[in-house]
C-alpha cells in the first residue's frame, strides 16, 4: 500500500468518525481539503461514489465553456447532497428527514439537473420510490450513520476537487485529464479574451453585466481585494456591484440599493441624503433586443449577448467565427456582481445572503488560521488538556483521560518527592511508586529534577526520555514539545491497534471485555492475536483458576491460623459442609472478566461469588451444601438454573400426576374441601377473584337448581350481585317459554328481545326456506320495520353475521341468494315476468322481452303478455285497439278494464291483474312492500317520518283524490263530478257480460293464505255489470285518469276535515258568512296538490 493510500485511509477514518458523531461539515473541512489534495486516481480515492462516471456523464460532448457550466452545476448539486447527508448524520435531524420531494424547486434545479444525483440519495438510504419523491423504507427507523458519513465525506471531497478545478488551484489536475477532456488544466492569464461560460451570466443577462473570466475557469480563483482607494463611480463601495446611489455625506461613496439600505440604517447615518446616479443606456443584443451586448462577431457582423451568442454560434457552420469579448477588461477587476466567501473562498451571486457552500453570512470574518502553517481549522478544533496534555476533540468539554474541564488550569504541584517515597507527577498527576527523575507515565521531569535548574527564560522544564545514551556527561534534555508529540503518537497508535483488535474480535463473537482481559493476562497482548489466545489458552487458565479456588477453600477449612488470616484478609468466610469444591468454567470466566484478567483477583472474586450464591440457596431452604454446589456447577453459576435443578426432584411427584392420561375429575360443589374447589375454579376458569369462586360454589349448592357449572361461571364473571346473577340464569324464551341462562340466549340488534338458540335457528331457517326476505324479522316482536331502505341495509348486514354460525350451509346459501335478488330489484333494468315469478336484468331497449325462465314474451313497458298487434305500436294505442277489436276483451267489459288497470307495486314495479276495491292495505308478494292500492303511498306500522304525524299504529297518508276517501261517495255523486268536467262513463254492461255476479278478480284471504278469485257480489242496474264496490272503483279510476279534484263537491264539514288533515287554518272568523267561509276553505284546499303517486292511466 502506497504512502498516499495510508495517509488517505487515516484521514478518512478520522473525518468519518467526526462527521458520524457531530454531523457538521465545518468540523471536517480540514480533512476534506487534505483528502482532495492527495495525489491518487479518482477510482481509488472514491469507494462509494462512482466519481469518474458522474464527471463523464455531466461533461460528455461539451466544449470548454459548456464543461465549466456543467461543473458549476455539479458543484451546486453536490453542495445540496452534502447538506442532505449532514442532516442525516446530525444528532438533531430535521423533522421530515425520511423523504426527499421531487417537487422541491431547489431539488429540481440542483440534484435533478445533474446525472447521478439520485444515485447518491440511494446510497444515503432513500431507496423507496414514492409518487412525489424518494423515502427510506418503512422498516428502517434510523439511518446508517456510518454509511451516510462515508458517502457524505466523498461528496464533500468531490465538490472540493471540482471547485478547485474550476478555480484552477487543484494541486493534481492531471488526475482528471482522461475523465474531463474538455477542461484545460493550466491557468490562463486574467486578460484572456476567450468566451466566458459562467452559468450565472447566462441566467439573467438583462439584469447583470457579464462577468468575463478565463476559459478554463468559470470563476476566478481568488478575486482580488478592493483597493483602499475610493471605488469607481459605477461600483458599490461595499459589495462591488452596480451602484445606483451616491452619498455626499459619506465622501461621495456609491452604493447599490441593498447595501444602501443596510449601511444607512445606522442611526448616525439615517439622515444622510443620497443622490441617484444617472445610468447611460447600454447597447442591446441584435437578436433578442433585450440583453446588453457582450460579444462582437466579425465574421457575421453582429453584436450579441451571452445567451444569444452561445445558441447562435453552437451551429457547426458558425463555430469557427472569430468573436471578440467586449467586456474583457472586467476580468482583471473584481466581479461587480459576485462576492467571495471569506471563510471558504466560494464565489457567490450578488443576491445570495449566505454562502452556498458553508452557509456563512456575506460579511463573515475569515477562518482563523494557525501560524505554524498547519492549515485552516474550525472553531471546534482539537484542544490539549493542561493537566494531562492529552489532545481531545473540539466538541468535548471534559478531558477523555483525566475528566478535567477544558478551561481548567494545571493542578498545583505536590510536595517534592522524598527519598524512598511515592510522588505525584505535576503534569499528568500519575502517582509514581519509585523515586525517579522522570514520570513513568508521561516521561516529564519531576519537580526536583535537574530540569528545574535551567535558566528562567524557559517557561516549562524540558522532559527527558526514559532511555538516553550515556555520553559521559549530563543528559541533554529534549524539547518538551517533541516528547509530547511522541507520547501522543504512541497513545494514538496503541488506541488504534486496540480498536482494530476489538473490531476483529466482535466479528468472531468476542466481547471487548474479553479482549481487554486477554491482553492484560498475556502481558499486554504481545504480538499475538487475543482471539486466538482466548481459544487456545483461556480454557486452561479457567481450569487453573478453578483449581486454585478449590485449594484455597480447602485450606480455609483446615485448622491453620495462617490460612485463616488469608481468608479473612480476602474478605471471605468458610462455608460449611464437607466434600470437595465444585466450580465451573462459566463461573471462573465471569470472575476472570470482573477482575480484568488478574488471576489472583479472579480466584478471590470466584470464591466470594460462590459463597454469596450458596447463602442465597441456603436462605431458600436448601441446606445440603453438596447438592447446592453440584447444582451451581451444572448451571454455570446461574442461581435460577441451580434453583430449577434443586426443585426438580421435589416437583417430580406433581409432574407425574399432572401428566397422567387419566381425565381430570370434575369439580364437585359439595366437596368438603372448599378451598381446593376454589383453587381449581381459579386455575381452570380464570375467575377474577377468590370471592367470585366462593359465590359460584354457593350458587351451585342452592337447593332445587339445575344450573350447569359453565353457566354459573359465565354469569359470575359478568357481575358479583347474587340477584342479578339469578336473573341471568333464569331467562324465559318468549317463543318456546322455556327457561335458559342468558349466555344461551340470542338477540337481534334491532330490538331488545332474547330467544333461545334453538328457536332462533328454527325461525330463520323456516323464514329463509318458505318466506320472503322481508319476513326475516324478530320472532317475538316482528321488528324492525322493513319498509325503511336505510334500516333494511343495516339490519341485513348484522343479521348475516349472526346467521353465519347458526344456519346450515344450504340454508345460509339460500339466504345469500335471496339477498342478491333483493339487491337486483333496485336496478332500474330489473323486470318481473308477468307469466311466472322470475325476475331478470333486461339490457335491451326493445318493448318485447323474453323471460329466461319460462321463455314467454311480454311488454317491458306495460308488462302485458306480448301480442303481434303490439309490434311498432305504443302501449296506449295497443290498449285502445284491444278495447275496440278484441272480442275477449269486449266480453269482459269493465272487468277487463279494471284488470288491465290493476295494482302495480311502487317498489319493485310488479303488476297485479287485481282491482283496488276492498282493503286498501296491499302487500306485494315479491318484495313485501306494504302500500295503499289507491294512492301507492306506503303503510307504516309505527311512527312515520312525516312531520307532526300523531298516528303510532298502522297507517298511511292518503291524498284527497285517493280511492280510500272516494269509495265512501255515492255513485251519483262520483258521476256528477265526472259530468261536471265532461268525462264520459258507462252505465250499461256489454252484451257479452250479462251476468248477475261481479266477475272482477281480487285478492282474498282464504284459510290464512292470500289467493286471487272473482268478486261474486250481486250486480245492480245502471252499474255497467259490476257490483257497487267495483263500479265506484271504475268511476274513481276515471276521476284519477283525468286528474279531477273532488274538493269542488265538498260540503262545509268535509272542507273543515280536509283542512285539519292538511294542518291548515280551518277556524271560522267572527261574523264570517257561511258561503264566504266555505269559499275561503275551498281556495286554501285547492292550493294543495293532488296525490303525486296516484295511478293515472289513460
Amino acid at each position: 500500500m502506497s504512502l498516499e493510500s495510508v495517509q488517505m485511509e487515516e484521514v478518512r477514518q478520522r473525518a468519518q468518525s467526526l462527521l458520524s458523531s457531530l454531523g457538521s461539515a465545518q468540523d471536517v473541512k480540514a480533512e476534506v481539503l487534505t483528502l482532495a489534495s492527495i495525489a491518487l486516481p479518482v477510482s481509488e480515492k472514491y469507494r462509494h461514489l462512482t466519481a469518474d462516471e458522474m464527471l463523464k456523464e455531466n461533461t460528455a460532448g461539451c466544449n470548454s465553456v459548456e464543461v465549466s457550466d456543467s461543473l458549476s452545476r455539479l458543484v451546486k448539486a453536490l453542495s445540496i447532497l452534502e447538506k442532505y447527508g449532514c442532516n442525516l448524520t446530525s444528532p438533531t435531524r430535521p423533522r421530515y428527514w425520511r423523504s426527499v420531494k421531487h417537487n422541491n424547486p431547489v431539488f429540481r434545479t440542483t440534484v435533478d439537473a445533474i446525472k447521478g444525483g439520485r444515485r447518491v440519495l440511494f446510497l444515503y438510504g432513500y431507496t423507496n420510490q414514492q409518487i412525489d419523491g424518494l423515502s427510506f423504507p418503512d422498516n428502517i427507523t434510523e439511518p446508517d450513520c456510518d454509511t451516510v458519513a462515508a458517502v457524505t465525506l466523498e461528496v464533500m471531497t468531490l465538490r472540493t476537487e471540482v471547485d478547485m478545478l474550476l478555480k484552477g488551484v487543484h494541486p493534481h489536475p492531471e488526475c482528471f485529464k482522461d475523465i474531463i477532456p474538455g477542461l484545460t488544466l493550466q491557468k490562463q492569464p486574467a486578460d484572456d479574451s476567450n468566451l466566458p461560460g459562467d452559468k450565472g451570466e447566462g441566467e439573467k443577462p438583462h439584469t447583470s453585466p457579464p462577468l468575463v473570466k478565463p476559459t478554463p475557469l468559470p470563476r476566478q480563483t481568488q478575486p482580488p481585494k478592493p483597493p483602499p482607494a475610493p471605488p469607481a463611480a459605477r461600483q458599490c463601495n461595499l459589495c462591488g456591484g452596480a451602484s445606483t446611489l451616491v452619498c455626499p455625506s459619506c465622501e461621495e461613496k456609491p452604493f447599490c440599493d441593498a447595501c444602501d439600505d443596510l449601511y444607512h440604517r445606522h442611526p448616525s447615518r439615517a439622515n444622510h441624503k443620497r443622490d441617484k446616479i444617472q445610468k447611460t443606456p447600454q447597447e442591446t443584443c441584435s437578436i433578442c433586443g433585450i440583453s446588453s451586448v457582450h460579444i462582437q462577431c466579425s465574421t457575421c457582423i453582429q453584436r450579441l449577448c451571452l445567451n444569444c451568442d452561445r445558441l447562435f454560434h453552437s451551429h457547426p457552420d458558425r463555430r469557427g467565427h472569430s468573436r471578440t469579448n467586449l467586456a474583457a477588461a472586467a476580468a482583471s477587476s473584481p466581479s461587480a456582481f459576485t462576492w467571495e466567501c471569506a471563510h471558504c473562498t466560494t464565489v457567490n451571486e450578488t443576491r445570495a445572503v449566505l454562502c452556498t457552500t458553508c452557509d456563512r453570512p456575506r460579511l463573515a470574518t475569515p477562518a482563523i488560521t494557525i501560524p505554524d502553517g498547519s492549515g485552516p481549522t474550525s472553531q471546534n478544533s482539537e484542544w490539549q488538556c493542561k493537566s494531562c496534555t492529552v489532545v481531545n476533540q473540539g466538541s468535548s468539554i471534559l478531558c477523555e483521560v483525566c475528566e478535567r474541564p477544558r478551561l481548567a488550569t494545571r493542578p498545583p504541584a505536590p510536595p517534592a518527592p522524598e527519598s524512598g517515597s511515592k510522588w505525584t507527577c505535576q503534569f499528568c498527576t500519575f502517582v509514581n511508586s519509585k523515586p525517579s527523575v522522570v514520570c513513568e507515565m508521561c516521561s516529564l521531569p519531576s519537580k526536583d529534577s535537574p530540569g528545574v535548574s535551567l535558566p528562567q527564560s524557559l517557561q516549562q522544564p524540558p522532559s527527558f526520555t526514559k532511555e538516553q545514551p550515556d555520553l559521559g556527561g549530563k543528559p541533554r534534555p529534549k524539547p518538551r514539545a517533541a516528547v509530547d508529540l511522541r507520547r501522543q503518537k504512541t497513545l494514538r497508535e496503541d488506541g488504534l491497534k486496540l480498536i482494530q483488535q476489538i473490531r476483529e474480535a466482535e466479528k468472531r463473537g468476542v466481547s471487548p471485555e474479553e479482549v481487554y482481559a486477554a491482553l492484560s493476562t498475556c502481558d499486554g497482548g504481545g504480538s499475538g492475536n487475543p482471539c486466538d489466545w482466548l481459544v487456545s489458552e483461556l480454557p486452561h487458565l479457567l481450569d487453573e483458576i478453578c483449581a486454585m479456588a478449590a485449594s484455597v477453600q480447602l485450606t480455609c477449612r483446615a485448622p491453620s491460623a495462617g490460612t485463616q488470616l488469608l481468608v479473612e484478609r480476602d474478605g471471605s468466610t468458610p462455608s460449611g459442609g464437607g466434600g470437595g469444591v465444585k466450580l465451573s468454567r462459566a463461573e471462573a470466566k465471569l470472575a476472570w472478566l470482573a477482575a480484568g484478567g488478574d488471576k489472583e483477583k479472579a480466584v478471590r472474586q470466584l470464591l466470594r461469588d460462590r459463597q454469596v450464591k450458596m447463602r442465597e440457596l441456603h436462605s431458600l431452604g436448601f441446606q445440603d451444601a453438596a447438592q447446592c454446589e453440584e447444582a451451581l456447577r451444572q448451571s454455570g453459576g446461574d442461581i435460577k438454573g441451580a434453583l430449577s435443578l434443586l426443585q426438580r426432584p421435589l416437583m417430580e411427584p406433581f409432574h407425574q400426576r399432572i401428566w397422567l392420561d387419566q381425565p381430570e375429575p370434575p369439580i364437585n360443589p359439595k366437596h368438603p374441601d372448599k378451598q381446593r374447589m376454589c383453587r381449581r375454579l381459579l386455575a381452570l376458569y380464570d375467575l377474577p377473584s377468590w370471592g367470585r369462586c366462593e359465590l359460584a360454589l354457593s350458587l351451585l349448592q342452592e337447593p332445587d337448581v339445575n344450573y350447569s357449572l359453565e353457566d354459573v361461571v359465565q354469569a359470575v364473571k359478568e357481575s358479583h350481585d347474587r340477584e342479578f346473577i339469578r336473573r341471568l340464569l333464569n331467562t324465559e324464551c318468549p317463543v318456546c317459554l322455556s327457561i335458559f341462562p342468558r349466555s344461551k340466549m340470542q338477540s337481534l340488534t334491532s330490538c331488545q328481545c332474547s330467544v333461545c338458540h334453538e328457536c332462533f335457528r328454527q325461525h330463520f331457517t323456516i323464514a329463509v326456506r318458505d318466506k320472503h326476505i322481508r319476513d326475516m324479522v324478530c320472532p317475538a316482536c316482528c321488528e324492525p320495520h322493513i319498509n325503511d331502505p336505510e334500516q333494511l341495509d343495516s339490519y341485513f348486514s348484522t343479521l348475516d353475521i349472526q346467521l353465519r354460525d347458526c344456519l346450515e350451509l344450504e340454508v345460509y346459501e339460500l339466504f345469500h341468494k335471496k339477498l342478491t335478488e333483493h339487491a337486483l330489484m333496485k336496478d332500474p333494468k330489473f323486470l318481473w315476468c308477468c307469466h311466472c315469478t322470475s325476475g331478470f336484468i333486461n339490457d335491451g331497449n326493445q318493448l318485447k322481452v323474453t323471460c329466461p325462465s319460462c321463455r314467454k314474451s311480454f311488454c317491458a313497458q306495460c308488462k302485458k303478455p306480448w301480442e303481434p298487434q303490439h309490434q311498432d305500436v305504443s302501449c296506449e294505442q295497443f290498449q285502445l285497439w284491444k278495447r275496440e277489436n278484441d272480442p275477449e276483451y269486449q266480453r269482459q267489459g269493465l272487468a277487463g278494464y279494471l284488470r288491465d288497470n290493476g295494482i302495480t307495486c311502487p317498489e319493485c314495479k310488479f303488476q297485479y291483474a287485481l282491482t283496488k276495491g276492498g282493503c286498501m292495505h296491499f302487500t306485494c308478494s315479491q318484495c313485501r312492500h306494504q302500500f295503499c292500492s289507491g294512492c301507492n303511498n306506503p303503510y307504516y306500522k309505527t311512527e312515520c317520518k312525516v312531520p307532526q304525524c300523531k298516528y303510532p299504529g298502522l297507517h298511511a297518508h292518503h291524498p284527497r283524490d285517493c280511492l280510500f276517501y272516494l269509495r265512501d261517495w255515492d255513485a251519483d255523486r262520483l258521476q256528477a263530478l265526472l259530468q261536471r268536467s265532461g268525462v264520459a262513463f258507462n252505465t250499461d254492461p256489454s252484451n257479452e257480460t250479462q251476468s248477475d255476479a261481479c266477475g272482477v278478480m281480487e285478492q282474498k284471504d282464504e284459510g290464512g293464505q292470500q289467493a286471487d278469485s272473482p268478486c261474486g257480489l250481486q250486480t245492480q242496474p245502471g252499474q255497467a255489470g259490476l257490483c257497487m264496490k267495483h263500479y265506484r272503483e271504475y268511476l274513481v279510476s276515471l276521476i284519477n285518469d283525468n286528474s279531477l279534484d273532488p274538493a269542488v263537491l265538498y260540503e262545509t264539514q268535509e272542507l273543515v276535515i280536509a283542512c285539519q288533515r292538511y294542518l291548515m287554518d280551518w277556524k271560522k272568523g267572527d261574523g264570517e258568512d257561511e258561503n264566504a267561509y266555505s269559499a275561503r276553505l275551498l281556495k286554501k284546499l285547492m292550493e294543495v296538490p293532488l296525490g303525486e303517486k296516484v295511478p293515472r292511466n289513460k
Side-chain angles (χ1 to χ4, degrees):
M1 184 179 292
S2 62
L3 181 61
E4 291 81 1
S5 301
V6 175
Q7 180 187 2
M8 182 170 184
E9 184 63 27
E10 181 180 354
V11 177
R12 186 199 302 273
Q13 290 182 0
R14 182 170 67 253
Q16 183 175 340
S17 176
L18 290 174
L19 189 60
S20 61
S21 60
L22 303 178
S24 175
Q26 294 299 320
D27 295 332
V28 295
K29 183 177 180 181
E31 286 77 3
V32 171
L33 291 175
T34 304
L35 291 174
S37 302
I38 295 177
L40 281 177
V42 177
S43 58
E44 296 181 11
K45 186 179 294 187
Y46 298 94
R47 298 179 178 177
H48 300 276
L49 294 180
T50 56
D52 50 353
E53 294 183 7
M54 184 179 294
L55 292 172
K56 290 179 180 179
E57 290 176 353
N58 287 279
T59 59
C62 301
N63 54 28
S64 59
V65 178
E66 294 173 347
V67 165
S68 300
D69 292 342
S70 300
L71 293 181
S72 299
R73 289 194 296 269
L74 183 61
V75 169
K76 290 186 178 180
L78 291 175
S79 300
I80 299 300
L81 292 172
E82 173 188 329
K83 293 181 181 179
Y84 279 123
C86 292
N87 287 339
L88 293 178
T89 57
S90 175
T92 57
R93 282 189 292 272
R95 182 177 181 182
Y96 303 102
W97 62 269
R98 297 187 59 87
S99 61
V100 176
K101 303 298 183 182
H102 292 168
N103 55 4
N104 187 344
V106 178
F107 182 87
R108 289 200 309 268
T109 57
T110 55
V111 179
D112 251 7
I114 66 168
K115 297 180 180 179
R118 296 198 182 186
R119 290 201 299 267
V120 179
L121 294 177
F122 270 70
L123 294 177
Y124 285 158
Y126 295 100
T127 58
N128 193 10
Q129 185 69 37
Q130 301 288 343
I131 298 177
D132 56 347
L134 299 173
S135 67
F136 275 80
D138 296 336
N139 57 348
I140 301 298
T141 58
E142 295 289 337
D144 188 354
C145 291
D146 294 336
T147 304
V148 175
V151 177
T152 306
L153 187 62
E154 293 190 359
V155 171
M156 297 169 65
T157 306
L158 180 59
R159 177 191 60 78
T160 304
E161 287 201 74
V162 176
D163 195 38
M164 294 168 68
L165 286 173
L166 291 173
K167 296 176 181 179
V169 296
H170 199 289
H172 305 287
E174 64 275 1
C175 297
F176 298 87
K177 182 176 181 181
D178 297 333
I179 300 176
I180 313 176
L183 181 66
T184 306
L185 299 180
Q186 68 276 11
K187 288 187 178 181
Q188 298 292 339
D191 57 351
D192 193 356
S193 61
N194 289 339
L195 295 179
D198 193 294
K199 174 183 174 182
E201 294 171 358
E203 289 181 353
K204 296 183 178 180
H206 60 283
T207 58
S208 302
L211 177 62
V212 182
K213 297 175 182 172
T215 300
L217 304 177
R219 300 174 181 173
Q220 294 181 358
T221 304
Q222 291 289 341
K225 301 295 182 178
R234 295 185 58 83
Q235 293 183 352
C236 177
N237 183 58
L238 297 180
C239 67
S243 60
T244 58
L245 301 170
V246 62
C247 180
S249 303
C250 299
E251 300 178 358
E252 301 293 335
K253 293 181 180 180
F255 299 95
C256 64
D257 291 336
C259 295
D260 173 73
D261 181 62
L262 293 174
Y263 186 76
H264 287 92
R265 191 180 298 176
H266 194 273
S268 61
R269 295 186 290 267
N271 298 326
H272 287 191
K273 182 179 180 181
R274 282 88 72 190
D275 299 330
K276 290 187 177 182
I277 298 177
Q278 299 295 331
K279 294 185 178 180
T280 57
Q282 296 182 355
E283 185 180 1
T284 58
C285 174
S286 59
I287 294 180
C288 64
I290 299 176
S291 303
S292 59
V293 175
H294 290 76
I295 306 296
Q296 179 178 359
C297 180
S298 59
T299 305
C300 57
I301 313 177
Q302 292 197 40
R303 298 167 68 85
L304 308 174
C305 64
L306 289 177
N307 283 342
C308 295
D309 173 70
R310 185 180 295 110
L311 295 174
F312 184 75
H313 288 94
S314 61
H315 193 274
D317 297 339
R318 294 188 289 270
R319 287 183 179 176
H321 288 192
S322 175
R323 285 112 70 199
T324 303
N325 189 353
L326 299 181
S332 59
S333 62
S335 174
F337 296 95
T338 58
W339 60 275
E340 180 186 12
C341 178
H343 187 267
C344 64
T345 69
T346 300
V347 179
N348 303 275
E349 296 180 358
T350 305
R351 63 175 179 270
V353 180
L354 301 179
C355 177
T356 57
T357 302
C358 63
D359 289 339
R360 286 180 173 266
R362 183 171 183 171
L363 302 178
T365 58
I368 301 175
T369 58
I370 299 178
D372 58 359
S374 59
T377 59
S378 63
Q379 294 179 353
N380 293 330
S381 59
E382 296 179 347
W383 59 277
Q384 187 179 35
C385 179
K386 297 180 180 180
S387 300
C388 64
T389 70
V390 172
V391 178
N392 302 272
Q393 295 183 0
S395 61
S396 61
I397 301 175
L398 301 179
C399 177
E400 297 180 357
V401 176
C402 64
E403 297 185 352
R404 291 179 64 83
R406 180 172 183 173
L407 302 179
T409 59
R410 180 178 298 174
E418 300 178 1
S419 176
S421 62
K422 299 180 180 180
W423 60 280
T424 304
C425 178
Q426 60 178 338
F427 301 105
C428 66
T429 68
F430 178 75
V431 179
N432 296 268
S433 60
K434 299 178 181 179
S436 60
V437 178
V438 294
C439 177
E440 297 179 3
M441 178 60 66
C442 64
S443 301
L444 296 178
S446 62
K447 185 175 181 181
D448 57 347
S449 63
V452 299
S453 61
L454 293 176
Q456 294 295 329
S457 60
L458 298 178
Q459 297 296 328
Q460 294 180 351
S463 61
F464 295 86
T465 58
K466 288 185 178 180
E467 298 180 1
Q468 293 185 0
D470 188 5
L471 300 179
K474 199 172 184 179
R476 176 180 294 179
K478 293 185 178 181
R480 179 182 174 184
V483 176
D484 291 343
L485 291 177
R486 185 177 62 187
R487 183 172 57 85
Q488 293 291 343
K489 183 178 180 181
T490 304
L491 291 175
R492 184 183 298 276
E493 292 176 354
D494 295 341
L496 292 176
K497 181 179 178 182
L498 179 60
I499 291 174
Q500 186 66 23
Q501 291 175 342
I502 290 176
R503 289 179 178 175
E504 293 178 358
E506 287 179 345
K507 295 179 180 179
R508 300 172 62 176
V510 181
S511 64
E513 291 80 4
E514 293 176 311
V515 175
Y516 172 74
L519 294 175
S520 301
T521 303
C522 58
D523 193 17
S527 58
N529 192 342
C531 297
D532 298 336
W533 185 91
L534 289 172
V535 175
S536 60
E537 301 298 332
L538 181 60
H540 304 292
L541 178 62
L542 297 180
D543 293 339
E544 184 180 354
I545 293 174
C546 292
M548 292 175 62
S551 63
V552 170
Q553 194 170 19
L554 290 175
T555 305
C556 293
R557 292 174 183 173
S560 174
T563 308
Q564 184 66 28
L565 289 176
L566 176 63
V567 174
E568 291 176 355
R569 184 185 65 188
D570 293 341
S572 61
T573 58
S575 60
V581 182
K582 300 177 181 179
L583 300 170
S584 62
R585 284 186 179 179
E587 294 178 271
K589 185 176 181 179
L590 292 176
W592 176 68
L593 292 176
D598 191 338
K599 183 167 58 176
E600 295 181 359
K601 291 183 180 179
V603 172
R604 294 193 294 268
Q605 184 68 31
L606 178 59
L607 290 175
R608 283 194 295 267
D609 294 344
R610 170 55 67 91
Q611 290 178 2
V612 170
K613 295 173 183 176
M614 289 291 292
R615 285 195 294 267
E616 185 174 354
L617 291 178
H618 290 338
S619 66
L620 295 175
F622 300 98
Q623 302 298 330
D624 193 342
Q627 290 183 0
C628 293
E629 289 181 352
E630 179 63 22
L632 287 172
R633 186 190 65 81
Q634 293 181 5
S635 63
D638 185 18
I639 288 290
K640 294 183 179 179
L643 188 62
S644 177
L645 293 175
L646 292 173
Q647 289 177 342
R648 187 172 299 170
L650 303 177
M651 299 293 293
E652 188 65 26
F654 175 73
H655 291 162
Q656 292 180 356
R657 183 172 63 85
I658 64 175
W659 291 112
L660 292 177
D661 295 334
Q662 298 179 0
E664 186 74 16
I667 296 178
N668 184 11
K670 298 182 181 180
H671 195 278
D673 192 351
K674 182 178 179 182
Q675 291 188 355
R676 180 181 180 184
M677 294 298 103
C678 289
R679 287 195 298 270
R680 292 190 62 187
L681 284 175
L682 284 173
L684 296 178
Y685 294 100
D686 193 21
L687 287 173
S689 65
W690 184 271
R692 297 287 180 98
C693 297
E694 294 180 343
L695 178 60
L697 290 177
S698 64
L699 289 172
L700 291 171
Q701 293 174 359
E702 290 182 355
D704 301 332
V705 295
N706 54 354
Y707 309 142
S708 65
L709 178 61
E710 289 74 12
D711 296 339
V712 173
V713 168
Q714 184 65 29
V716 168
K717 286 182 178 180
E718 296 182 9
S719 175
H720 63 277
D721 188 1
R722 185 183 295 269
E723 295 299 328
F724 180 74
I725 294 175
R726 286 174 178 167
R727 290 197 297 270
L728 292 179
L729 295 174
N730 296 276
T731 306
E732 183 183 49
C733 175
V735 179
C736 64
L737 304 181
S738 300
I739 303 299
F740 295 94
R742 181 65 61 85
S743 60
K744 294 184 179 179
M745 305 285 283
Q746 194 161 358
S747 303
L748 294 174
T749 58
S750 60
C751 61
Q752 301 297 326
C753 303
S754 297
V755 297
C756 63
H757 291 310
E758 185 63 23
C759 293
F760 187 87
R761 184 185 63 81
Q762 290 185 2
H763 167 73
F764 283 100
T765 299
I766 296 173
V768 170
R769 286 179 175 175
D770 304 335
K771 297 182 179 180
H772 192 266
I773 193 171
R774 289 179 179 264
D775 294 330
M776 298 180 188
V777 293
C778 176
C781 63
C782 297
E783 289 290 335
H785 182 50
I786 303 290
N787 274 352
D788 189 354
E790 297 180 0
Q791 188 177 5
L792 182 66
D793 295 338
S794 174
Y795 171 70
F796 279 124
S797 62
T798 55
L799 181 64
D800 178 43
I801 300 175
Q802 292 180 296
L803 298 182
R804 186 178 304 165
D805 300 328
C806 175
L807 301 180
E808 298 178 358
L809 180 60
E810 180 183 357
V811 181
Y812 183 72
E813 291 177 352
L814 180 60
F815 168 70
H816 265 272
K817 181 180 179 181
K818 290 191 175 184
L819 273 182
T820 304
E821 293 179 352
H822 174 72
L824 289 175
M825 288 171 56
K826 299 179 181 180
D827 195 321
K829 296 182 179 181
F830 183 81
L831 297 176
W832 286 107
C833 178
C834 66
H835 301 284
C836 62
T837 58
S838 299
F840 58 93
I841 299 293
N842 178 34
D843 292 330
N845 54 2
Q846 298 181 356
L847 292 178
K848 181 181 179 181
V849 293
T850 302
C851 176
S853 298
C854 64
R855 310 306 301 175
K856 294 182 179 180
S857 301
F858 62 95
C859 178
Q861 184 174 352
C862 61
K863 309 298 187 301
K864 299 295 189 297
W866 185 261
E867 297 183 16
Q869 291 78 9
H870 201 341
Q871 188 71 32
D872 300 331
V873 178
S874 64
C875 296
E876 291 78 6
Q877 294 175 351
F878 173 69
Q879 292 295 330
L880 181 60
W881 175 88
K882 200 169 184 180
R883 294 174 188 173
E884 296 176 354
N885 300 286
D886 190 359
E888 181 65 22
Y889 191 89
Q890 294 177 354
R891 184 184 65 80
Q892 295 177 359
L894 292 182
Y897 172 81
L898 294 177
R899 181 195 65 192
D900 292 340
N901 295 276
I903 301 174
T904 301
C905 177
E907 186 73 17
C908 64
K909 309 304 179 184
F910 190 82
Q911 291 188 349
Y912 298 89
L914 302 172
T915 60
K916 304 173 186 176
C919 181
M920 308 299 295
H921 181 195
F922 191 85
T923 302
C924 179
S925 61
Q926 300 296 326
C927 64
R928 286 297 189 271
H929 180 62
Q930 303 179 28
F931 60 96
C932 172
S933 60
C935 60
N936 289 338
N937 284 342
Y939 264 91
Y940 301 97
K941 292 184 178 180
T942 56
E943 295 183 0
C944 62
K945 298 181 180 180
V946 177
Q948 300 180 359
C949 178
K950 300 179 181 180
Y951 297 100
L954 181 66
H955 69 284
H957 297 276
H958 309 278
R960 61 180 179 272
D961 58 340
C962 177
L963 180 62
F964 182 81
Y965 296 119
L966 296 180
R967 63 180 177 176
D968 295 333
W969 284 22
D970 295 336
D972 297 339
R973 193 178 185 188
L974 295 174
Q975 291 175 355
L977 180 60
L978 292 172
Q979 292 175 356
R980 179 186 179 92
S981 300
V983 178
F985 54 89
N986 294 334
T987 56
D988 298 327
S990 60
N991 298 329
E992 292 80 3
T993 59
Q994 295 291 338
S995 175
D996 295 337
C998 180
V1000 177
M1001 300 296 294
E1002 61 182 5
Q1003 189 181 72
K1004 296 182 179 180
D1005 190 0
E1006 297 179 358
Q1009 299 291 332
Q1010 294 180 347
D1012 300 339
S1013 60
C1015 174
L1017 295 180
Q1018 185 69 29
T1019 61
Q1020 298 295 333
Q1023 297 179 359
L1026 303 174
C1027 65
M1028 179 56 68
K1029 176 180 63 176
H1030 290 117
Y1031 186 65
R1032 290 174 181 171
E1033 180 184 347
Y1034 163 67
L1035 296 177
V1036 171
S1037 65
L1038 294 178
I1039 293 174
N1040 292 333
D1041 290 344
N1042 294 273
S1043 301
L1044 303 181
D1045 194 341
V1048 296
L1049 298 182
Y1050 278 1
E1051 297 179 355
T1052 303
Q1053 187 61 30
E1054 291 177 323
L1055 290 173
V1056 172
I1057 295 174
C1059 291
Q1060 291 176 352
R1061 188 186 310 128
Y1062 288 112
L1063 303 177
M1064 300 170 62
D1065 184 16
W1066 54 272
K1067 293 183 179 181
K1068 185 177 181 181
D1070 296 339
E1072 186 177 7
D1073 183 67
E1074 187 70 22
N1075 294 332
Y1077 175 59
S1078 300
R1080 180 171 61 84
L1081 293 182
L1082 179 60
K1083 182 179 179 181
K1084 287 186 177 182
L1085 190 60
M1086 293 289 287
E1087 295 176 356
V1088 179
L1090 300 176
E1092 297 179 356
K1093 298 182 180 180
V1094 174
R1096 305 185 188 279
N1097 301 319
K1098 293 185 179 180

